Amino acid sequence: MAFEAPLPLDGIRVLDCSRVYAGPIASMLLGDLGADIWKLEPPNGDETRGWGPSWGDPVDRRSAYFASVNRNKRSLVVNLKTDAGRALLDRLAATCDILLHNYQPSVAAQLGLDADRLRSVHPHLVLATIGGFPGDGDAGERPAYDLVAQAFSGLMSVTGEPFGGPMKVGVALLDLTAGLQAAIGALAGLIARERGRPGLGASVSLIESGVASLTNVLGHHLATGEEPRRWGTGHPDIVPYQVFAARDGHVVVAVGNDAQFERLLAVLELEPDPRLADNEGRLAGRDELVPQLAVRIGEWSRDELVAALTQADVPAGPVNSVSEALAAMEAAHDGAWVQEADGVRLAPAPIRVDGRRLPLRNPPPPFGAHTNEILREAGLDIGEIAALRAAGVIG
């Protein structure tokens, strides 16, 4: 169903000075909800424009990586390393509600993006920032990509097979969590401003977001003092809760309570054992129970077992390939899950508002495609735009 009413953030304008991944994830979420995102890029563009294969004309510099987190935005190019560029930044910021960036503090100061200056010049502006490492001084200056954050935060130490080496998650998970948290912080700032508390800023670091994302693993460590370890696909506190090999693929079985375990045994035609009737017993008997389940599960085909467990109300599912997962989404939405614009095919925003899918209003923008358009909306006239371009301030 098309979204005909105004989107939730319709009328909100965001000056997005971030690049790479966590910041663009935050601004994309705000754009999905209806905010007008001005993606301010340096003269060489967002680094991810060159990461991986391109969609369409290479001149547009829209790599698949870039496209995945830059829908519903417009791009302008401004050189903030010039005095005129920083003056232009202020003219743009004066018309915006949120400013987002993920530069290191010293670089932000050089580009006119330091928090104290922005708050003094633009008290109406909600500032949302994403850093690498937490802390002030040298600590806050340390850059961090997602891989560094996954390692430093401890996430890699609990990811992978028990006797293997540390492993990263297959996607940039901590970029994603930090981006989500920055977007939430920005929205909180907007609400605070509407309630008469201007100047509220929100900041998050990849590392701190990563440590906080350990949730139950960190909670276990805080409660017991024990060092968490890798469990592969298993779970330290729940059994059975892991991947099993079927005849022709893999399935996950996620038993969360004793009644589900009884139904699992019934499907697999295994006799109940009183010692394993509750989760405490199953934890103690993990080494005996899991091999028994593995043998019986290995006799089933993947899809037949998933169907039988689903029918019995036992949480389970296939370990899908990416193409299988995509096909499942298409099937669930009558073949209309992937969105396409300007030749670029993208996953949609997963949030639904009033039961309706959020629209793809703008494809990932070609590099600098909206510079003139945005500057005119910010109040610059044709002569001013021409002079800035002649001086190399804008692209």
Side-chain angles (χ1 to χ4, degrees):
M1 183 184 297
F3 208 109
E4 298 175 358
L7 292 164
L9 295 182
D10 185 55
I12 298 298
R13 184 176 284 169
V14 179
L15 184 57
D16 178 17
C17 300
S18 70
R19 70 271 185 253
V20 189
Y21 228 50
I25 285 171
S27 61
M28 181 178 70
L29 294 172
L30 300 175
D32 289 343
L33 290 167
D36 184 11
I37 310 297
W38 291 355
K39 183 176 177 66
L40 190 155
E41 301 189 59
N44 57 348
D46 187 321
E47 294 98 306
T48 63
R49 285 186 177 275
W51 292 5
S54 294
W55 284 105
D57 189 342
V59 175
D60 290 345
R61 297 178 61 188
R62 291 184 293 180
S63 69
Y65 206 109
F66 172 86
S68 69
V69 291
N70 281 289
R71 63 177 178 254
N72 290 328
K73 303 178 186 182
R74 294 186 289 163
S75 168
L76 75 159
V77 178
V78 180
N79 186 354
L80 296 181
K81 293 182 178 180
T82 65
D83 291 339
R86 291 187 291 274
L88 179 56
L89 170 73
D90 281 330
R91 293 188 66 174
L92 295 168
T95 70
C96 291
D97 300 284
I98 298 170
L99 188 148
L100 173 69
H101 78 76
N102 55 358
Y103 286 102
Q104 296 149 266
S106 61
V107 177
Q110 295 168 11
L111 301 180
L113 294 169
D114 50 299
D116 290 342
R117 192 195 76 81
L118 287 172
R119 287 195 185 99
S120 65
V121 178
H122 307 289
H124 74 288
L125 197 62
V126 174
L127 179 62
T129 62
I130 301 174
F133 285 76
D136 299 321
D138 291 342
E141 291 292 332
R142 292 183 65 181
Y145 285 105
D146 179 86
L147 178 63
V148 176
Q150 288 200 33
F152 197 94
S153 68
L155 180 60
M156 287 177 65
S157 75
V158 296
T159 305
E161 291 301 321
F163 301 105
M167 189 72 65
K168 79 176 186 69
V169 180
V171 296
L173 182 64
L174 299 188
D175 276 331
L176 178 60
T177 59
L180 287 166
Q181 290 157 358
I184 293 169
L187 293 174
L190 281 181
I191 293 172
R193 189 186 70 178
E194 294 305 308
R195 294 179 175 178
R197 296 174 56 203
L200 184 67
S203 62
V204 62
S205 73
L206 288 182
I207 301 298
E208 189 166 0
S209 178
V211 177
S213 74
L214 296 177
T215 56
N216 64 299
V217 172
L218 180 59
H220 191 108
H221 173 68
L222 293 173
T224 67
E226 297 173 0
E227 189 67 49
R229 65 180 182 86
R230 291 184 291 279
W231 287 90
T233 65
H235 195 286
D237 302 313
I238 308 172
V239 176
Y241 196 96
Q242 64 182 79
V243 170
F244 291 92
R247 281 202 319 264
D248 56 353
H250 290 83
V251 299
V252 292
V253 176
V255 169
N257 59 53
D258 300 337
Q260 291 172 354
F261 182 66
E262 290 179 11
R263 296 195 294 272
L264 171 66
L265 294 181
V267 169
L268 298 179
E269 298 181 348
L270 287 169
E271 289 295 324
D273 184 335
R275 297 174 302 162
L276 307 175
D278 59 23
N279 188 62
E280 183 178 358
R282 293 192 291 275
L283 282 170
R286 183 197 300 262
D287 292 343
E288 177 184 353
L289 172 61
V290 169
Q292 291 177 3
L293 296 176
V295 169
R296 192 56 60 91
I297 289 171
E299 297 170 356
W300 289 71
S301 74
R302 184 190 77 168
D303 294 344
E304 288 175 348
L305 178 59
V306 169
L309 293 176
T310 301
Q311 179 67 30
D313 197 24
V314 176
V319 179
N320 281 332
S321 65
V322 172
S323 59
E324 287 175 321
L326 177 58
M329 289 300 98
E330 292 283 348
H333 294 84
D334 298 322
W337 189 73
V338 170
Q339 295 177 320
E340 182 171 349
D342 198 22
V344 180
R345 300 177 69 235
L346 299 167
I351 300 171
R352 288 178 178 260
V353 175
D354 288 337
R356 290 172 293 180
R357 173 192 252 184
L358 296 171
L360 176 60
R361 296 177 293 114
N362 293 306
F367 181 52
H370 307 95
T371 301
N372 287 4
E373 179 181 300
I374 291 173
L375 294 182
R376 287 195 299 270
E377 291 175 19
L380 279 74
D381 60 35
I382 295 175
E384 289 177 298
I385 294 172
L388 287 169
R389 180 162 284 111
V393 175
I394 62 175

Short mmCIF file of all heavy atoms in Angstrom, two decimals, residues 45 83 191 200 220 303 311 394:
data_model
loop_
_atom_site.label_atom_id
_atom_site.label_comp_id
_atom_site.label_asym_id
_atom_site.label_seq_id
_atom_site.Cartn_x
_atom_site.Cartn_y
_atom_site.Cartn_z
N GLY A 45 34.55 12.97 -2.42
CA GLY A 45 33.36 12.14 -2.19
C GLY A 45 33.46 11.21 -1.00
O GLY A 45 34.52 11.04 -0.39
N ASP A 83 37.80 28.72 3.72
CA ASP A 83 37.00 29.67 4.50
C ASP A 83 35.61 29.82 3.91
O ASP A 83 34.62 29.86 4.64
CB ASP A 83 37.70 31.03 4.57
CG ASP A 83 38.97 31.01 5.40
OD1 ASP A 83 39.12 30.08 6.23
OD2 ASP A 83 39.83 31.90 5.21
N ILE A 191 12.81 16.11 19.84
CA ILE A 191 11.71 16.17 20.81
C ILE A 191 12.04 17.16 21.93
O ILE A 191 11.19 17.98 22.34
CB ILE A 191 11.43 14.77 21.39
CG1 ILE A 191 10.88 13.85 20.30
CG2 ILE A 191 10.44 14.87 22.55
CD1 ILE A 191 10.75 12.41 20.73
N LEU A 200 20.40 20.46 22.50
CA LEU A 200 20.71 19.11 22.97
C LEU A 200 21.43 18.33 21.88
O LEU A 200 20.97 18.26 20.75
CB LEU A 200 19.42 18.38 23.36
CG LEU A 200 19.60 16.99 23.96
CD1 LEU A 200 20.29 17.08 25.31
CD2 LEU A 200 18.24 16.30 24.13
N HIS A 220 26.43 -11.70 31.88
CA HIS A 220 26.93 -12.94 32.49
C HIS A 220 28.30 -12.70 33.13
O HIS A 220 28.56 -13.15 34.26
CB HIS A 220 27.03 -14.02 31.41
CG HIS A 220 27.28 -15.39 31.95
ND1 HIS A 220 26.33 -16.38 31.97
CD2 HIS A 220 28.39 -15.95 32.50
CE1 HIS A 220 26.82 -17.48 32.50
NE2 HIS A 220 28.08 -17.24 32.83
N ASP A 303 14.05 -28.92 4.76
CA ASP A 303 12.75 -28.28 4.67
C ASP A 303 11.64 -29.11 5.32
O ASP A 303 10.71 -28.56 5.91
CB ASP A 303 12.41 -27.97 3.21
CG ASP A 303 13.33 -26.92 2.61
OD1 ASP A 303 14.03 -26.23 3.39
OD2 ASP A 303 13.37 -26.80 1.38
N GLN A 311 5.03 -26.82 12.47
CA GLN A 311 3.70 -27.35 12.77
C GLN A 311 3.55 -27.67 14.25
O GLN A 311 2.48 -27.50 14.84
CB GLN A 311 3.45 -28.62 11.93
CG GLN A 311 2.11 -29.28 12.14
CD GLN A 311 0.95 -28.44 11.66
OE1 GLN A 311 1.09 -27.65 10.71
NE2 GLN A 311 -0.20 -28.56 12.31
N ILE A 394 32.64 24.57 -4.32
CA ILE A 394 31.60 23.56 -4.51
C ILE A 394 31.90 22.77 -5.77
O ILE A 394 32.64 23.20 -6.66
CB ILE A 394 30.21 24.19 -4.60
CG1 ILE A 394 30.11 25.14 -5.81
CG2 ILE A 394 29.85 24.88 -3.31
CD1 ILE A 394 28.70 25.69 -6.02
#
